[in-house]
Amino acid sequence: MTIHPVSPLFVGRSDELAALVDALAAARAGASSTVLIGGEAGVGKTRLIREFGSLAGDALVLSGGCLELGTEGLPFAPFSAVLRGLVRELGADGVAALVPGGDTRGLARLLPEFGEPDRDGSDARARLFEQVLGLLERLAEDRPVVLVVEDAHWADRSTRDLLTFLVRYQRSDAALLIAVTYRSDELHRTHPLRPLLAELSRVAWVTRLELRRLTRREVVAQAASILEREPSTSAIDLIYARSEGNPLFVEALLSEAGGDESLPESLRDLLLAGVERLPEETQELMRVASAGGQHIEHDLLSGVAGLDEAALSRALRPAVAGNVLVVDGEGYSFRHALIREALHDDLLPGEHIRLHTRFAQALERDLSVLPAPRGAIELAHHWHAARDADWALVSAWHAAAAARRSTAYGEQLRMLSRVLELWRQVPDAEQRIGIDHVGVLRQAITVAHLAGEFERGLTLAGAALAEVDRAADPIRTARLLRQRGLVRYDLSRPGYIDDLREAAALLPDGAPVRLRAQVLESLARMLHAPGDRPEKLQAAGHAAELAHTAGDAPVEANALITLAWGRYRYAEIDRQVEAFAEARRIATTSGSYNALMRCAISESDALEGAGRHEQAARVAREGIAEAERHGLARTSGAFLAINLAEPLVSLGRWDEALEVVDHALDLVPPPPIQASLQGLAGDLALARGQIESAERLWAKSRAVLSRGAFRDQSVLPHVRREFELLLAGGRADDAGELAVRTLREQDLVASPRYSWPLLVTFAQFGGPLLAQLRSLAGRLGVDGDLQQAQRLTFAAVAGPESGGDEAADRLKTLDEAVAAWAALRQPYAEARALAGAAQAALACGDRQQAASRLTRAREFAERLGAAPLLAELDGIARRARIALAEGAPTDGPPLGLTARELEVLRHVAAGHSNREIAGQLFIAVKTVSVHVSNILAKLGVASRGEAAATAHRLRLFEDLDGLA
């Protein structure tokens, strides 16, 4: 007989335990990480986590396991379990206080205790994911947090998606450790966890551990600890040979043999032997429980078993005492999933159907015994396992609705697919669920789109359209065509405009107003070609009118945004801003987060394109704050970081721009956003002479842009950066070839905003390209002050075709360009134009004017840290023998503070915390802390309060009320 069911001594895992302890120590020091722990069933993954938990000290350990349910797991099961534990410990109000914005309606999708969830929409899942991560990060501000997700091989699609989000988007400086366990022997070639593990393994802060089997010496130590004596050599030889070093099998073999040689013949017999020693009534209860899954609630087991409390307790006690079951919250779990699997596999076909039917009937009587949406999904599983087609279809339909409530789109699509598969087996399917086959297909298309299953969505749309008679049912056809058009657009497949145009044409004037508005708004938004502008404006205007009539505020707001973009030029920016304000008002009033974020993105971009850099930065910053309030900081917020960094670059606030870029990249946004952010950082690296860094950033963005079709706003700046890098590297011939290829392959006339900077850069190359560039510039439109400044700069760099006083003309044009850049408050562009003007002044023989321009240009370049431009200016001065004063005092921020430090001090004086300041400025909390330390040192004070008092005493700020 064994003394202990499991070994008191933790054997053979010292290296893995040390790795986890080190990861936690790194998290304490502000370096978050993730550890993926694999190993075959029974090798000790759960024991490793338990032992690690005992060494975690003051860290908050949050654990949740994925639950098997047929071939898929329950959606979000580990995260629901974690939230439930937090609510038990802190209360719902305590958790709400930790959620960014205090709005827990997103978390209500995982836990009913938080009330009704917020409205559905394409951003509902993004808000849920943001809230979960935000909650973990807030918890980690007080003490380190360890999030444990066990049995990830059973994770459903939604759980995998959230886990990926948490791992990839966790702040690098959060005291957060994520540990994930999975069965490596379950990962067959097509298992969905395999590509996820491969993807996450490429993330810098992710480590993989693979638990090996125990050595013979370790098995001896394990057996001796269990038996409190060392077994005989022959017994160990046999146990080691039969167990092959698997700790679970060693325990089971010792339990059966007590160390002698009478061992079970098969693994199945070994796993079932502990059950077969139990009383008959307990064995029967274990067979019943095996149909309920790895974890089963007490009330549900009672309802299925048909036993009163006394009889149920009498049957359960031997299973718990025999270490077959363990008490787990409000229910029970099998000590190891292999035991449950062996029991369930041992059921006869009739028993299998009968038991799953009993579970389904018990849940039909009282679905509340399980938390939502688990009850509806388990009910669907049991009816399906019971092979009752009628009730399997009905329950799958209801389970799909429950999954939608949790934004578990993968599970919802699986349930809708089951409805479609069972449709022909249930003659009255339409009457049972109240919707016809095409209606189910329509829902499945929508869900496939939300789940990112675009190819599946296209297939479903094709099937639905094949069932519909276009002539007899134009309205339903139009709905389906709109759905297919949107999916095709996201797949970058041709035909999306044709689908949307056909949908609009199919809808008569008497068609539902809301549908007509939706179709026209989608069409207007997708029309991008210059030649489509009249159609775009007409569709957007009509969509806005119809949406207003129908009371569809989100569609109306989006149509107005599209209309503002299409109707106004940069030269009409004030009227465009008014149009955006109306769209924002409607979006805000209706709570349309998508439209609100799109408005912030569009308006800040338009302002930057018009040269209104300060306004652009303000709108982008406000949009980022709005994104954070609505739980979209890592999606819309990260996109808006581009629109914040770009005007900061224009304004010469380069260090601030880099802080914004670094913070946004820390959030690991989608690759296209990363590429744009890296491009801006690359521009600054190049301007500061950091060539290696610029090349590295350019290569990273190129890896993204080379994998898909991107618009001119991404492609043309990328070409400009490549050209400048080639010139900086002395590869003039390659740069010339790039310019020739670009002029041949790109339609630069279609995008003046992004073409003018490219032409200015190409013109610097000179040579035979100039004639072609001048010709192109003559056909290129000029819209707004920014493009006018670029046109003047190009004209000066390219020079006149012939005739006239070239130097004098060039000086005049460059002075106009200098004035234009000065009006726009773009110091770097102004400095470059001043450098050119100085050379032109020298060519005209005016050394005094040249010296004046060189001095001003040098002040700008020195303040910006633009080393190459500084060297160029010094070279001009040296060749002209003009003495330039270095380090001349300039009007700058007081007390030796940088512009960024002054801005941080302004917030400190307003009483804001580091986290509040970080949110306002869209930089990391750690960066704010560094700025505050520098401020205290420069002011010679010891605390934030003293710094605030100094700012007030010196009257550094007059508008603190606006920050409160």
Side-chain angles (χ1 to χ4, degrees), residues 761-775:
T761 303
F762 284 174
Q764 295 170 2
F765 186 72
L769 274 179
L770 285 178
Q772 187 178 356
L773 292 173
R774 291 191 194 102
S775 173

Side-chain angles (χ1 to χ4, degrees), residues 654 658 680-697 724-725 727-729 828 832 861 864-872:
W654 289 1
L658 287 174
L680 290 170
D683 285 339
L684 298 185
L686 193 58
R688 285 177 162 171
Q690 300 159 356
I691 305 301
E692 289 185 5
S693 176
E695 288 177 339
R696 185 171 62 254
L697 289 162
E724 292 178 348
L725 280 169
L727 286 183
Y828 185 63
R832 295 200 65 84
L864 294 168
L869 179 56
L870 269 174
E872 179 186 338

Side-chain angles (χ1 to χ4, degrees), residues 51 101 108 205 267 318 378 434 575 678 723 769 808 822 865 895 929 940 951 962:
E51 294 291 332
W205 50 86
L267 176 58
E378 287 207 19
R575 295 175 64 190
Q678 289 159 346
F723 184 89
L769 274 179
L895 305 173
S929 179

Side-chain angles (χ1 to χ4, degrees), residues 170-206:
Q170 60 182 318
R171 276 204 338 261
S172 60
D173 60 346
L176 175 62
L177 169 62
I178 300 175
V180 182
T181 71
Y182 61 92
R183 283 193 202 169
S184 53
D185 53 329
E186 292 276 341
L187 304 188
H188 51 77
R189 187 172 57 85
T190 60
H191 195 289
L193 191 63
R194 283 179 70 97
L196 173 61
L197 293 173
E199 174 191 345
L200 294 182
S201 296
R202 291 191 288 270
V203 177
W205 50 86
V206 173

Side-chain angles (χ1 to χ4, degrees), residues 915-930:
R915 171 163 291 283
E916 290 170 329
I917 298 171
Q920 288 285 325
L921 303 183
F922 198 69
I923 57 178
V925 177
K926 184 167 60 176
T927 304
V928 176
S929 179
V930 172

Side-chain angles (χ1 to χ4, degrees), residues 425-711:
Q425 299 178 42
V426 183
D428 59 345
E430 183 175 341
Q431 289 71 35
R432 284 178 173 270
I433 65 173
I435 191 172
D436 66 6
H437 191 251
V438 172
V440 178
L441 283 168
R442 277 200 61 229
Q443 284 206 23
I445 298 164
T446 299
V447 178
H449 196 182
L450 289 170
E453 299 279 355
F454 298 139
E455 293 287 358
R456 183 78 187 283
L458 276 185
T459 301
L460 290 165
L465 284 165
E467 288 190 31
V468 176
D469 186 331
R470 279 171 162 75
D473 198 348
I475 292 175
R476 176 170 275 195
T477 303
R479 293 184 193 276
L480 290 166
L481 285 168
R482 176 176 178 264
Q483 285 184 285
R484 187 173 72 176
L486 295 176
V487 176
R488 279 177 163 172
Y489 178 80
D490 282 340
L491 262 178
S492 298
R493 292 284 177 83
Y496 62 88
I497 290 293
D498 295 335
D499 279 346
L500 293 170
R501 281 175 172 153
E502 185 181 356
L506 279 170
L507 292 174
D509 290 341
V513 177
R514 185 184 297 267
L515 175 60
R516 292 170 62 202
Q518 290 171 341
V519 170
L520 287 170
E521 190 278 320
S522 297
L523 174 60
R525 197 191 303 197
M526 303 307 173
L527 289 167
H528 298 304
D532 293 332
R533 185 169 180 265
E535 182 184 6
K536 182 186 188 78
L537 292 177
Q538 183 181 11
H542 199 188
E545 293 171 3
L546 292 170
H548 183 77
T549 300
D552 192 333
V555 170
E556 182 183 4
N558 274 304
L560 289 174
I561 293 167
T562 301
L563 200 59
W565 257 119
R567 176 175 288 168
Y568 300 107
R569 294 156 51 88
Y570 293 125
E572 303 169 293
I573 186 63
D574 291 326
R575 295 175 64 190
Q576 190 176 35
V577 167
E578 291 175 4
F580 282 130
E582 175 62 11
R584 184 187 302 104
R585 182 190 67 76
I586 294 170
T588 302
T589 302
S590 64
S592 176
Y593 305 134
N594 272 339
L596 203 57
M597 291 299 96
R598 184 175 171 231
C599 191
I601 290 168
S602 300
E603 184 179 1
S604 57
D605 187 45
L607 286 164
E608 175 63 13
R612 302 282 186 87
H613 308 306
E614 287 284 4
Q615 284 180 265
R618 177 181 56 76
V619 171
R621 207 182 292 282
E622 290 172 354
I624 289 168
E626 193 73 32
E628 187 166 320
R629 280 194 294 273
H630 292 303
L632 297 170
R634 287 171 171 83
T635 47
S636 299
F639 193 101
L640 277 161
I642 302 169
N643 290 14
L644 174 56
E646 190 174 359
L648 291 176
V649 170
S650 298
L651 290 165
R653 292 155 62 178
W654 289 1
D655 291 334
E656 289 181 51
L658 287 174
E659 287 178 356
V660 170
V661 168
D662 289 344
H663 180 55
L665 289 174
D666 277 346
L667 300 178
V668 197
I673 296 178
Q674 289 186 49
S676 294
L677 291 165
Q678 289 159 346
L680 290 170
D683 285 339
L684 298 185
L686 193 58
R688 285 177 162 171
Q690 300 159 356
I691 305 301
E692 289 185 5
S693 176
E695 288 177 339
R696 185 171 62 254
L697 289 162
W698 180 84
K700 288 181 178 179
S701 61
R702 180 191 182 191
V704 175
L705 297 177
S706 63
R707 291 200 298 264
F710 292 87
R711 295 168 63 186

